Amino acid sequence: MQLIFEKSRPGRRAAQFDALDVPEASLPPALCRAEPAELPEVSELDVVRHFTQLSQQNFGVDSNFYPLGSCTMKYNPKLAEAVAAYPGFSELHPHLSTCPAFRGLCQGALELVYETEQALAEIAGMRKVSLQPIAGAHGELTGALLMAAYHRDKGNAKDTMLVPDSAHGTNPASAAIAGFKVVQVASAADGTIRLDAVKEALNESVAGLMLTCPNTHGLFEPRVREIADLLHESDALLYYDGANLNAIMGHARPGDLGFDVMHFNLHKTFGTPHGMGGPGSGPVGVGERLEAFLPGPRVVCEGGRYDLETPAKSIGKVAAFFGNFLIAVRACAYIRHLGGPGLKEASENAVLNANYVFARLKGTYQPAFESGFMHECVFSAAPQAKAGVRALDIAKALLDYGLHAPTVYFPLTVRESLMIEPTETESKDTLDAFCDAMIEIAGKAESDPDSLHAAPRTMPVGRLDEVRAARQLDCSC
Ligand SMILES: *Cc1c(COP(=O)(O)O)cnc(C)c1O
């Protein structure tokens, strides 16, 4: 594809001004350019075609299947976008909420924050939720800071966070940024956390454990209640990484399972598209122990009027105003549109779809674990790698079928991992097309491995030098 500068022709214009009908006023020469700015000279149609074509170079859920495990690239209904675009939400000035005299003018927005926090609290079995954190990792950091505040308040000298080896990389990073020493806890061969490893790591200096459930092996942690009890015996806290809530909405609530604090990923689960670094939202939820430390100010409701209040021992603000407000609007629309039964069904279909893919592929690819997958399933391409075809080659080959690759090389505990999360909205036809492609690629890995090394052949760009891309960050060459 040509650059827009290459399409430029001298004198070509997208817009024309009428002839001047007022006296011309000239700018002081010091403010004028010596040379005209080097801008592309193009027609309106050139501009429209250029940017339309550019947008089509990208792969997105709206164009095709995108089974990126752990990332939940699910289709988000356009209804949520339409609601977030209402001028009453999108054109509201956030300072209306900070000034008591103007608070009457944004009661609807405050009500939405209040109701969305309540809905999320109900879904997760938490006492209170704060919408402030603006990403999953930011929610983790906020949660870790809440845990630190709790222990500080109680005079507990606890400075260590336990994190399973299967955890998302953001977990140890967030705990470390919050000032904790991070100790890794090993998984068992079946992919779940080892209870004896938790017992071994547990001592008086442990402030808490960060658990993902289902974990990033796609497996529900069956001993989560025992783990919660163990931690609570020494006043340590259990953190829930709720990025994978898509698997359990309406079926199990982290609060009921014994978790004290958690984050949600609204941009994976509740109606906001995820990916490409767009705005996100990672609300935190807390149980009774941590309520007093929540970020402030919070929306409260008294006699039908919405106001702001900061909890007694608040850790303060973690983001401006109420975080990414329009993401909360999308989440509210999504939750209200689906309702309780709809959210429950979404989870059921997410789990059903992952298990369908697992059942179709387990004879062709080596399952990372024997059974028990929830919303995503994990395979190892180690047998294919022995024949010279690595997980990366399989991922790139899928692109030539018009399908996005699954997550590869994560979780780190599985060699040559392929982590597939189909999500709930995909039809059996789409899942079959994906499985057929995966099976055909496995066949090629045996018969003609070299053909896979050059994939993709049909994309705007071929195989990239990823190491060079990471080390020489020059986007202009
Ligand atoms: C995506 C994800 C996160 C981090 O969320 P971000 O919004 O990308 O910061 C944390 N944990 C798990 C399990 C995830 O999948």
Side-chain angles (χ1 to χ4, degrees), residues 34-379:
E35 303 281 336
E38 275 186 55
L39 295 173
E41 297 181 70
V42 285
S43 70
E44 180 175 322
L45 183 56
D46 290 335
V47 174
V48 169
R49 287 207 178 130
H50 180 76
F51 287 102
T52 303
Q53 283 168 10
L54 205 55
S55 76
Q56 289 167 346
Q57 306 283 304
N58 226 339
F59 200 103
V61 178
D62 284 0
S63 47
N64 223 327
F65 187 49
Y66 206 141
L68 210 54
S70 197
C71 291
T72 319
M73 304 295 285
K74 73 182 191 179
Y75 174 73
N76 300 115
K78 298 291 174 250
L79 172 100
E81 293 297 320
V83 174
Y86 287 165
F89 292 131
S90 63
E91 291 175 14
L92 207 56
H93 199 290
H95 268 307
L96 285 178
S97 67
T98 48
C99 177
F102 292 132
R103 216 163 277 157
L105 298 175
C106 60
Q107 286 289 300
L110 296 179
E111 180 180 357
L112 185 134
V113 169
Y114 184 82
E115 283 208 356
T116 307
E117 288 182 347
Q118 285 207 320
L120 292 171
E122 174 64 29
I123 289 166
M126 290 281 150
R127 255 178 99 92
K128 291 270 168 66
V129 168
S130 165
L131 293 178
Q132 269 193 32
I134 55 174
H138 193 208
E140 292 169 22
L141 173 63
T142 308
L145 290 172
L146 290 169
M147 292 161 91
Y150 169 83
H151 289 306
R152 208 165 35 240
D153 187 59
K154 291 195 77 179
N156 291 344
K158 294 179 184 294
D159 62 355
T160 303
M161 189 75 82
L162 305 182
V163 180
D165 57 3
S166 63
H168 196 264
T170 48
N171 287 190
S174 302
I177 291 175
F180 289 104
K181 283 185 207 142
V182 177
V183 171
Q184 205 179 66
V185 183
S187 301
D190 70 358
T192 63
I193 194 169
R194 275 177 40 207
L195 197 59
D196 57 345
V198 176
K199 282 185 187 155
E200 226 165 85
L202 207 55
N203 59 44
E204 277 307 308
S205 71
V206 171
L209 180 136
M210 297 177 86
L211 200 60
T212 310
C213 184
N215 62 26
T216 60
H217 293 147
L219 308 170
F220 196 86
E221 291 285 357
R223 289 171 291 273
V224 58
R225 275 239 61 120
E226 282 164 84
I227 293 169
D229 291 344
L230 268 177
L231 288 162
H232 291 151
E233 269 170 33
S234 59
D235 204 16
L237 301 165
L238 186 57
Y239 183 94
Y240 181 73
D241 178 334
N244 292 346
L245 205 63
N246 217 33
I248 61 166
M249 287 183 301
H251 294 269
R253 305 195 310 165
D256 300 338
L257 295 172
F259 288 94
D260 302 289
V261 46
M262 67 174 289
H263 80 270
F264 304 77
N265 269 43
L266 297 191
H267 49 292
K268 288 180 186 171
T269 317
F270 295 101
T272 285
H274 172 222
M276 291 313 184
S281 176
V284 282
V286 294
E288 212 171 329
R289 288 184 179 86
L290 298 181
E291 202 180 325
F293 305 99
L294 276 174
R298 297 183 50 71
V299 179
V300 291
C301 180
E302 272 158 37
R305 195 191 143 82
Y306 296 91
D307 232 315
L308 300 187
E309 214 173 81
T310 296
K313 300 173 183 172
S314 172
I315 59 166
K317 266 180 187 290
V318 297
F321 305 105
F322 305 101
N324 278 328
F325 172 68
L326 291 177
I327 310 278
V329 176
R330 287 176 177 86
C332 184
Y334 185 83
I335 292 168
R336 288 197 150 214
H337 175 56
L338 285 183
L343 292 175
K344 196 169 175 195
E345 200 182 329
S347 286
E348 281 162 12
N349 287 334
V351 174
L352 178 66
N353 281 358
N355 279 280
Y356 180 75
V357 169
F358 178 65
R360 276 213 57 194
L361 294 182
K362 69 180 181 194
T364 309
Y365 290 91
Q366 181 183 307
F369 307 103
E370 287 313 314
S371 61
F373 288 111
M374 297 283 291
H375 63 303
E376 56 197 357
C377 56
V378 187
F379 293 97

Side-chain angles (χ1 to χ4, degrees), residues 404-440:
H404 198 279
T407 294
V408 291
Y409 303 110
F410 180 81
L412 303 173
T413 40
V414 178
R415 279 180 53 221
E416 297 291 328
S417 58
L418 295 160
M419 186 193 208
I420 305 165
E421 181 176 1
T423 78
E424 69 275 16
T425 41
E426 300 296 340
S427 66
K428 181 168 175 294
D429 302 329
T430 304
L431 300 181
D432 279 331
F434 172 74
C435 293
D436 291 345
M438 286 290 284
I439 291 166
E440 202 171 300

Side-chain angles (χ1 to χ4, degrees), residues 448-465:
D448 184 10
D450 257 354
S451 70
L452 301 177
H453 295 142
R457 296 167 197 270
T458 58
M459 293 286 113
V461 291
R463 189 72 71 101
L464 298 173
D465 181 342

